[in-house]
Amino acid sequence: MGIRISPKKRIALGLYRKYKQNLQKLHPLKYIFWECTLKCNLNCLHCGSDCKQEADVADMPIKDFIKAIDDITPIVNPNETMIVFTGGEPLLRKDLEKCGQALYERGFPWGMVTNGLAMSEKRLNSLLNSGMRSVTVSLDGLEEDHNWMRGNSKSYQQAINAIELLAKQDDLVFDVVTCMNQKSIHQIHEIKELLINKGVKEWRIFTIFPIGRAKEHSELKLTPKQFKWLFDEMAAIRNEDRIKLNYGCEGFLGGYETEIRDNMFLCAAGIHVASVMIDGSISACPNLRSNFVQGNIYKDSFKEVWETKYVKHRDRSWARKGECLHCDKFKYCEGNGMHLRDENEDLIFCHYNTLKEAEKL
């Protein structure tokens, strides 16, 4: 397997390109991320938001976020619009249930992304009773490497405890996400067996790029050879059909498209996805730079911002510069994921070129 695109897949990519163009015009809002806190109980090496145990920025009041949701409601179908609490560590907010209940009453499914450190059976039941319908737990390797990456000797066991609690819930959408790095990549099959034994049905893998604290730790970034090796192993695991495994929505993968994730590449920022950040900023993917912020709920209508802005998210022609300028795959890729653009909107990582480099080695 490699990056070469077969004639059959090239036809599929052409059709998917037309589908994406239609989505960009219609931009149906399906996911809203809420950066509900910058407080965190861990100190992870790869953190993109540089969160702290004692954040300088106060948590956004629930009433302010709900007001923004009420503003956007007329142009969405609440039952088909997922709201995800992120951070920081959402579980450090003691009032999540209050917000969750308000969303549930309005018909919105909601969930969270958590490191699991503060999850308990009592807290889980409280969240479920408030309408929580999905959870993502981070597990970034086996015990020694996970604890190294998360900076806490208890983080692995607590993540496992959270996974075991969640696996018992029949009506909960639940997955585990793993950020692969040079220490954990060769544990992929051991992690797979661990997750299967714990009852995990869905697993997502991401790779780490020089954003946030990860800039300071070169050992987190995979080499081109490791990058390709990981994708080959992921394809093999998917063929086993023992756990549903997908690579994150990070970049165009050439011939690996549909081989290591269910869907072809689509950066949904500003097309399906919006976010409300801790200071009220209205953005798309929570990992985007501040230069992609589109407004602020404290001075702008969330509804109007979604309907009238996000121009650069929905027309990516501006991204055809730098190494993208003469790339014959730009029509499929449109400049990679927007979270991989820096403050000058220049690309900091290209999946396709990395895979091309690996095949030369």
Side-chain angles (χ1 to χ4, degrees):
M1 186 177 297
I3 62 169
R4 180 183 174 276
I5 302 173
S6 67
K8 183 178 179 181
K9 191 165 290 185
R10 197 175 298 275
I11 292 172
L13 283 166
L15 293 172
Y16 194 69
R17 182 187 178 200
K18 293 180 180 179
Y19 168 73
K20 287 196 293 186
Q21 290 171 340
N22 191 49
L23 277 184
Q24 289 166 341
K25 293 177 182 177
L26 298 175
H27 48 266
L29 182 54
K30 298 295 183 182
Y31 288 88
I32 300 173
F33 288 92
W34 180 35
E35 188 181 48
C36 65
T37 185
L38 287 183
K39 296 185 179 71
C40 191
N41 47 13
L42 292 178
N43 187 33
C44 304
L45 296 180
H46 65 304
C47 182
S49 54
D50 199 22
C51 300
K52 303 173 182 177
Q53 291 188 8
E54 294 298 329
D56 298 329
V57 181
D59 294 347
M60 178 184 290
I62 288 173
K63 63 180 179 62
D64 296 354
F65 179 65
I66 293 299
K67 182 178 180 182
I69 293 302
D70 287 341
D71 182 47
I72 199 77
T73 298
I75 62 168
V76 302
N77 182 341
N79 299 136
E80 298 177 359
T81 308
M82 186 72 191
I83 298 180
V84 180
F85 300 166
T86 185
E89 171 51 48
L91 289 175
L92 294 186
R93 284 196 68 143
K94 304 303 182 184
D95 57 357
L96 285 186
E97 289 85 346
K98 180 180 178 182
C99 185
Q101 187 65 42
L103 294 172
Y104 178 76
E105 291 170 356
R106 288 163 169 77
F108 288 93
W110 66 275
M112 71 170 66
V113 179
T114 178
N115 59 43
L117 190 65
M119 182 66 80
S120 65
E121 186 173 4
K122 181 179 179 181
R123 188 73 196 275
L124 176 57
N125 289 334
S126 177
L127 293 164
L128 291 171
N129 289 336
S130 301
M132 185 175 70
R133 290 295 173 262
S134 79
V135 181
T136 293
V137 178
S138 297
L139 185 74
D140 296 317
L142 300 180
E143 186 164 9
E144 181 180 346
D145 293 324
H146 176 91
N147 288 344
W148 164 78
M149 192 162 168
R150 295 280 166 175
N152 186 298
S153 61
K154 298 179 180 179
S155 61
Y156 174 83
Q157 191 55 56
Q158 287 301 103
I160 292 296
N161 291 344
I163 288 168
E164 290 174 342
L165 285 171
L166 294 165
K168 296 175 183 177
Q169 308 301 318
D170 294 332
D171 298 326
L172 189 69
V173 177
F174 150 61
D175 70 348
V176 171
V177 61
T178 299
C179 292
M180 285 293 182
N181 60 79
Q182 290 190 32
K183 284 179 174 285
S184 62
I185 180 175
H186 296 295
Q187 301 170 358
I188 184 170
H189 292 285
E190 293 176 87
I191 298 170
K192 173 197 68 179
E193 295 299 332
L194 171 69
L195 296 181
I196 291 172
N197 289 336
K198 295 297 180 182
V200 176
K201 306 296 184 185
E202 298 191 28
W203 183 24
R204 280 182 294 146
I205 286 178
F206 289 82
T207 40
I208 297 174
F209 307 106
I211 298 172
R213 292 183 200 156
K215 289 181 181 179
E216 304 168 12
H217 299 278
S218 59
E219 69 271 29
L220 295 176
K221 184 180 176 182
L222 301 181
T223 66
K225 186 176 180 180
Q226 290 172 327
F227 203 65
K228 184 180 185 303
W229 183 88
L230 173 64
F231 285 1
D232 288 336
E233 296 306 304
M234 289 183 65
I237 291 171
R238 282 171 59 90
N239 286 335
E240 292 175 356
D241 200 25
R242 296 174 61 214
I243 188 170
K244 184 178 181 181
L245 174 62
N246 277 284
Y247 184 63
C249 54
E250 294 181 343
F252 177 70
L253 308 176
Y256 286 98
E257 289 291 316
T258 68
E259 304 298 329
I260 63 170
R261 60 183 169 215
D262 293 343
N263 302 312
M264 292 185 173
F265 172 62
L266 166 67
C267 177
I271 299 172
H272 281 324
V273 177
S275 64
V276 176
M277 309 303 284
I278 192 74
D279 62 352
S281 296
I282 301 170
S283 188
C285 168
N287 293 321
L288 296 192
R289 301 299 196 282
S290 59
N291 48 308
F292 290 112
V293 166
Q294 300 298 296
N296 192 291
I297 64 168
Y298 291 112
K299 63 179 182 180
D300 302 305
S301 161
F302 191 8
K303 171 177 172 287
E304 291 180 6
V305 167
W306 182 257
E307 288 185 315
T308 64
K309 294 193 176 182
Y310 292 95
V311 174
K312 287 191 174 181
H313 302 69
R314 298 166 186 169
D315 179 358
R316 307 279 174 90
S317 57
W318 58 269
R320 191 155 202 165
K321 60 178 182 173
E323 63 184 294
C324 298
L325 183 60
H326 301 295
C327 180
D328 62 351
K329 302 301 184 294
F330 184 86
K331 59 187 175 182
Y332 306 133
C333 177
E334 296 187 305
N336 219 357
M338 289 186 68
H339 70 293
L340 296 172
R341 295 276 164 175
D342 65 15
E343 293 80 1
N344 299 315
E345 300 178 359
D346 292 325
L347 187 63
I348 64 173
F349 186 85
C350 175
H351 294 68
Y352 184 73
N353 284 343
T354 300
L355 289 167
K356 281 172 62 178
E357 184 179 344
E359 293 203 339
K360 295 176 182 177
L361 298 175

